[in-house]
Amino acid sequence: MNALADQILVVADWITLHLTLWLLFGVGVFLTLRTRFVQVRLFPHMFSVLATSRQGRRGGISSFQAFTITLAARVGLGNVFGVAAALLFGGPGAIFWMWIVALVGMATAFFEATLAQIFKIRMADGTFRGGPAYYIYFGLKNSIMAKVLAVITAFTCAIVVTSVQANGIAQTMAATTSADPWLITVVLLVFSAPVIYGGLRAVARVSEWMAPIMAMMYVAVVTVIVLMNLTEFVNVLGLIFASAFSLEPLVGGLGGGILAAVINGTKRGVFSNEAGQATAPNAAATATVSHPVRQGLIQSLGVFVDTIIVCTATAFVILIAGEEVWAAEGVNPANLTTLAIVSEVGEWAALPMTLLIFVLAFSSILGAYAYAEVNVAFLSERQWAQRLLQTGTVIAVGIGAMMTLPLVWNTVDIAMALMSFTNLVALIFLAKWGVGALKDYEAQRKQGVADPVFVGRDNPFMPADVPTDVWVSGQAR
């Protein structure tokens, strides 16, 4: 099994270095320029949009609920295991490249969510569905490409990503408790199955309260440790910047070198913030909003929160822990963050961290399922298709908890690369739709409209009429 994991790792690293890296940066910079740095210009406005995002769902899924679904998927193991893996294999410099991926990814996330909103459709129950498969189908008019991406996304999110999150829970609990692996698996299934079989609405209801609470709890823990060691902050920043461009590892016990930093920072950054991955827009499209740009701004802010705030705080806690933690026998991505926190605040923190990681990963399982359901709905609206997906997801939770960590992580890297490649190509060709929607939104705000309303027909800012009936006379609201 380890030999297979090593072979997959070679392929994953090659894809990251020669394809994913260049596409992510290239498309991110392209979209940043097209919007005149939307992630910078409208950054303060993102918070005011978020503050009113619980309003106006009208029986559907609110903008805030859609945001928390993606927050649940983002602020999960990518912030705990992902950062730890990036540091162990890429050194402190990997964090710098995670930042770069996030900053340009904020523009990518804005476009993904905005396009998902523009090309979404209304379901029979009054909720909306949309995402990369939908904007490829309606925007590029390429049904084959859309269906292929939908299949890849549904499989990746329901099976591969879900397995990663379940594996993370199992690995952490095994490392900090003496619980039997089968017992851990049963507990996971008991918690996840009822929500998953409840469908997208159930996921939205649970994520609405779970995601913000668990994110704030985790941020609170690492913030306390950061404040306790504030004098080390400048030194940690210096280490990150120096390692980002160093040809050799600078710190004992951690990986390093510029190539390792770039590869691991990019892979873990993408997995954590999801910008460009073709995942988050599936949830963004479900929101009931007055204008597509509103959800685009909220999702862009989610990338900032995930990487610039949460991932950075995690990295700080690990880096100040010292070599006695990094280089200790048995240290791996599954336990490094917990060991670092325990070294700072005491042994009592081990159990609370285990429980917190359980909630982080569990919420990510729900987010991944939500992404998969949207894509299955695109392929077939029949009830049996949804039930098959739900059953497959629950089974993946059980199997993932029993698999080895390297095999799971290396597999998800390749799956995400396939999704990202298809999605990023589509974003380039559909950029004019996102730019048009942004111009429409900003024009209304300049006219004093507090809550701009989007109309998809005869809109002078758009390249053509929106080919669905959702945005006729602002009816999507």
Side-chain angles (χ1 to χ4, degrees):
M1 195 68 75
N2 288 333
L4 177 60
D6 291 340
Q7 292 175 358
I8 294 176
L9 177 61
V10 172
V11 176
D13 283 350
W14 189 92
I15 291 174
T16 298
L17 187 60
H18 295 91
L19 295 177
T20 310
L21 173 65
W22 298 104
L23 265 177
L24 281 172
F25 285 138
V27 174
V29 170
F30 170 73
L31 297 178
T32 295
L33 295 175
R34 286 297 306 270
T35 58
R36 296 179 295 117
F37 292 84
V38 62
Q39 67 267 54
V40 178
R41 292 191 301 108
L42 298 185
F43 183 72
H45 181 58
M46 293 177 187
F47 292 93
S48 63
V49 173
L50 181 63
T52 58
S53 61
R54 293 177 62 91
Q55 305 169 5
R57 68 179 179 181
R58 297 189 177 183
I61 294 174
S62 71
S63 178
F64 183 76
Q65 285 178 323
F67 170 73
T68 56
I69 290 174
T70 58
L71 184 66
R74 283 181 173 132
V75 184
L77 293 187
N79 303 95
V80 182
F81 285 21
V83 173
L87 288 171
L88 283 174
F89 306 132
I95 305 304
F96 172 84
W97 295 106
M98 290 181 76
W99 293 341
I100 298 300
V101 167
L103 291 175
V104 298
M106 288 177 71
T108 306
F110 169 81
F111 269 86
E112 286 182 307
T114 301
L115 290 173
Q117 277 286 328
I118 292 173
F119 294 105
K120 69 184 181 181
I121 63 172
R122 193 189 305 272
M123 305 297 285
D125 62 357
T127 60
F128 298 105
R129 297 291 185 274
Y134 291 82
Y135 56 66
I136 289 173
Y137 180 82
F138 290 111
L140 294 181
K141 296 179 173 53
N142 190 326
S143 61
I144 296 177
M145 183 178 176
K147 290 177 181 178
V148 169
L149 179 59
V151 170
I152 295 174
T153 304
F155 176 80
T156 301
C157 293
I159 307 301
V160 182
V161 175
T162 298
S163 298
V164 168
Q165 306 298 340
N167 185 267
I169 293 175
Q171 293 285 334
T172 301
M173 295 189 73
T176 55
T177 70
S178 58
D180 186 277
W182 286 104
L183 177 61
I184 298 172
T185 303
V186 170
V187 171
L188 272 173
L189 292 175
V190 168
F191 275 94
S192 59
V195 183
I196 290 172
Y197 277 109
L200 194 57
R201 285 181 185 272
V203 171
R205 287 193 298 269
V206 174
S207 298
E208 183 176 20
W209 61 266
M210 179 183 286
I213 290 175
M214 60 89 179
M216 287 188 291
M217 287 179 60
Y218 181 70
V219 170
V221 170
V222 294
T223 298
V224 169
I225 297 175
V226 168
L227 293 176
M228 289 170 54
N229 299 272
L230 202 56
T231 55
E232 296 294 321
F233 192 72
V234 174
N235 293 334
V236 169
L237 286 180
L239 182 61
I240 290 173
F241 281 106
S243 299
F245 302 98
S246 173
L247 297 178
E248 299 293 338
L250 297 182
V251 183
L254 293 177
I258 185 169
L259 190 60
V262 170
I263 290 176
N264 287 280
T266 301
K267 287 197 301 184
R268 299 298 155 236
V270 171
F271 180 77
S272 179
N273 66 53
E274 300 188 26
Q277 274 185 359
T279 50
N282 293 288
T286 65
T288 304
V289 293
S290 59
H291 200 290
V293 167
R294 286 182 61 88
Q295 200 63 31
L297 293 173
I298 288 177
Q299 299 303 142
S300 181
L301 181 62
V303 173
F304 179 87
V305 171
D306 171 84
T307 305
I308 306 302
I309 296 179
V310 183
C311 285
T312 301
T314 301
F316 182 88
V317 171
I318 292 174
L319 289 173
I320 63 174
E323 190 172 342
E324 61 272 17
V325 174
W326 312 327
E329 185 178 353
V331 167
N332 58 60
N335 60 20
L336 177 56
T337 303
T338 299
L339 291 175
I341 290 176
V342 167
S343 73
E344 292 296 321
V345 299
E347 292 290 337
W348 66 266
L351 182 58
M353 273 301 299
T354 300
L355 296 175
L356 183 56
I357 291 174
F358 178 95
V359 178
L360 284 166
F362 175 71
S363 64
S364 294
I365 289 174
L366 301 185
Y369 166 76
Y371 298 158
E373 182 180 308
V374 170
N375 283 274
V376 168
F378 173 81
L379 295 167
S380 174
E381 295 184 18
R382 296 180 180 179
Q383 189 68 23
W384 66 263
Q386 182 178 348
R387 290 302 181 195
L388 181 62
L389 170 70
Q390 291 167 339
T391 302
T393 304
V394 172
I395 292 174
V397 170
I399 294 176
M402 307 299 293
M403 294 177 68
T404 61
L405 186 65
L407 178 62
V408 174
W409 274 102
N410 297 342
T411 301
V412 81
D413 289 333
I414 295 177
M416 290 299 186
L418 292 173
M419 291 164 56
S420 299
F421 180 83
T422 307
N423 183 50
L424 292 169
V425 171
L427 291 180
I428 294 174
F429 288 100
L430 294 173
K432 57 186 177 182
W433 290 86
V435 172
L438 179 60
K439 289 181 178 179
D440 175 65
Y441 183 83
E442 293 192 286
Q444 292 188 51
R445 288 191 66 220
K446 287 181 180 179
Q447 294 172 2
V449 179
D451 188 12
V453 175
F454 181 72
V455 178
R457 302 288 170 84
D458 300 319
N459 189 319
F461 295 101
M462 303 304 292
D465 289 342
V466 176
T468 68
D469 60 358
V470 170
W471 294 104
V472 177
S473 301
Q475 290 179 3
R477 188 172 180 176

